Amino acid sequence: MNQSAPSLSSAGREPGQPGALPDGERRKRLRRWRTIKDYFAKYSVGTFGVGVIIALALIFVYLFSEVAPMLRPASLTVEAQYPAPGGTQAETLHIAMDRHKAVAVRYTSEREAVFFNTVDGSVIRREALPIPEDVRVTAFGLAEPRNRLSIFGLENGEALLVRHEFNESFSRDGRLYNPSLVYPVRDGERVLLDVAGDGSGIASIAIQRGSTGTSVAAALDDGRLRLVRFEETTSFLTGEVTVRRNAYDIPRLPEGAEPTRVLLDITMRHLLVGDNQGHLHYYDVSRPAQAERVDSKRIIRADSAEVSALEYLLGTVSVIVGGSEGSVSQIMLVRDEDNINRITRVRDFESHASAVTGISPEYIRKGFVTYDAGGNLKLHYSTSYRTLLSRTVTDAPLALVHMAPRANGLFAVDNQERVHKVDVFNPHPEVSVRALWGKVWYEGRSQPEYVWQSSSATDEFEPKFSLMPLTLGTVKAAFYAMLFAMPLAILGAVYSAYFMSPKLRQLVKPSIEIMEALPTVILGFLAGLWLAPFAERNLPAVFSILLLMPVFLIFAGYVWMKWMPRALLQRVPDGWEAAILVPVVIFVGWACVVLSPWVEIALFSGDMRQWLTDVGITYDQRNAMVVGIAMGFAVIPTIYSISEDAVFNVPKHLTQGALALGATPWQTVTRVVLLTASPGIFSAVMIGFGRAVGETMIVLMATGNSPVMNFNIFEGMRTLSANIAVEMPEAAVGGTHYRILFLAALVLFVLTFFLNTIAEIVRHRLRKRYSSL
């Protein structure tokens, strides 16, 4: 062996042994090896510490990257401009495109429907409407846009109902269209429907079609209001469809008011009429023969202004009103204390500089476009209470605007009959600070509320994305869990670390710590399927245990110390007193359960749950109390283990010095041990709180998942983590719902990070304050 380069193992041999190095060389080798280990430990710990920070930063970056697209503003891009297909001599009454923005239809005042290519305006097909040439079109109306139904009101009191079909098909060459017109309602062989009944001209008209028939509401030239229902019946044997016509006269508007716009909802029960004096009138036409004007209210604030535009949003629950002075408002029918629908202004949007000439609602969302005589166009969204965009599309006044079915485009027609095809980028209009964190007045509600309801069975549903119920539910679940867990964990840790015998401590501490390995899904399963029904059946027992257990334990300890014979006391080793309380715990729990029915009969008329309901307290089987107990058991091991270590590691000279100066054991605990261990105990509490905030399975299985806004211990809740677990599988990737769930995850991440940061600051201050002890 080369003696000039001995192995490191020879550095440990005793001097004088074969292969041993001189003392100086050996110490030099040891110092070098120690330096290598020190550098390795220093930089490896630092590297992995930085890695943890980088991992947290990457989590934040990823969550924010999924949320960031919701922050992009809406935009409009004019893709094409061309003269109105079919000729600019006729006025455009309506224009609509298919869902792929490839083919569109234009209805003109010259009784014609023109189907054309949206890219260049080339005509695909022209079809004359069956309207006599000597009869002028005086009114035009649309059903809810999804139905593709249009109605022409004529000067002779008749109307034509027509639906356009794009008839999309596919072939090897791509997507093909064979557009056509359908006349869904006929009066015998005639497609023209008699509305006025006496030949009076139609000034304004509205149409809705349902499963049982079609209703047409019209304002006539002489100011009369008329409702005509065409009820369709299909023969079971022959399949023949028969139509029965029923006409009703609706009470007139007040003296001096002239109707400017009429609307009919999809239930065909509510009729709205705007007038030239800025008023909106509501008629209940659920029983047309007894139709009555229920409410009238001025909705245009300017005295000289009138209702210049009136249009239902998707679902025909709320209506958008445009004024001749440029105002834009949302109106709903809200039931008052007498259960009567009243016209109620919900919100106002950014006004136009000139009169609002029209409103175009979206097909699948609660958004809409308003436009004015100055060529300005504004994009709004009702639920988020936002005006998303204001843009001048053309210098000429706009005569007509219509949204694409997917809200990703629109057609704007100016008064010179030029068509402007516009691309719309507006993927997440539902999102705003007010919609996510403030009270919102949703359709069908009597007042603004915090609501989370992301989906429903109907297509016209208004998504409700308030994060307040979820955030409050998260805090509520953590609060009740900590309320249950903190006293048991901290007091148990103090007792086992300071008073319990070492042998018993070696049994108790590992038993509690091993509880942390229990899967929370098991705790949630037990809480939801066993504890919740048990608590509901034995409510007096639950509260009796919570209230009487501490009392009986203190009383048992007092009896043991004061009344038991000294000989018996001396036979029990110090630190084993807790074992004596086990029978007391079992007996008190058993007695409370056995006596629960008798207590319920004596104090709560035999049913405590009903008694709570009678006094105005809602009780749900899966509630915050059940979650607090179940989650408390999940949190106790964490708080107990860290707190017990903090108390046990208090230097012995401090406790021995306090005892030597005459302090009692409890004085030593409260004035020395707890103060010295307070940084560790506080860290335990905050770590436990962070665990409770992020808990998923227990709250998912034991809360009922009701996103409510209260701290009622007898009601459930929905937390941020449970909501993500429930709804992420059903959320469309990239959609608003999907990204708001990522926002909820980001809120949860920031909340826990903030709490942990505050906890660390407080812990350092406590350590600095009591480090001199």
Side-chain angles (χ1 to χ4, degrees), residues 664-682:
T664 65
W666 279 108
Q667 288 175 328
T668 303
V669 167
T670 57
R671 301 186 182 183
V672 177
V673 174
L674 288 180
L675 293 180
T676 307
S678 59
I681 295 175
F682 184 78

Side-chain angles (χ1 to χ4, degrees), residues 162-174:
V162 59
R163 181 174 68 238
H164 57 269
E165 300 283 1
F166 293 111
N167 298 323
E168 178 183 351
S169 61
F170 297 89
S171 70
R172 293 182 178 180
D173 298 329

Side-chain angles (χ1 to χ4, degrees), residues 321 424 486-487 551 674 704 767:
V321 180
V424 179
M486 281 176 55
V551 175
L674 288 180
R767 175 179 290 180

Side-chain angles (χ1 to χ4, degrees), residues 349 365-367 379-386 388 429-430:
F349 298 90
R365 299 185 305 198
K366 301 293 181 177
L379 185 61
H380 314 268
Y381 199 83
S382 63
T383 307
S384 59
Y385 197 176
R386 298 173 64 194
L388 302 159
E430 304 95 331

Side-chain angles (χ1 to χ4, degrees), residues 79-102:
E79 294 182 327
Q81 299 180 20
Y82 38 79
T88 59
Q89 299 80 12
E91 178 187 355
T92 302
L93 298 179
H94 179 55
I95 192 168
M97 66 181 82
D98 77 310
R99 58 179 179 164
H100 301 292
K101 301 191 297 182

Side-chain angles (χ1 to χ4, degrees), residues 470 474 693-701 703 705 717-729 741 748:
L470 307 181
T474 302
V693 167
E695 178 55 46
T696 302
M697 293 309 300
I698 294 176
V699 294
L700 185 65
M701 303 177 71
T703 62
N705 284 310
M717 78 290 287
R718 177 178 287 195
T719 65
L720 290 166
S721 58
N723 188 68
I724 295 170
V726 169
E727 299 195 2
M728 185 59 78
L741 291 178
L748 189 60

Side-chain angles (χ1 to χ4, degrees), residues 128-146:
L129 299 174
I131 299 175
E133 294 185 3
D134 58 343
V135 178
R136 184 168 53 91
V137 177
T138 56
F140 183 83
L142 294 171
E144 195 183 43
R146 293 176 298 175

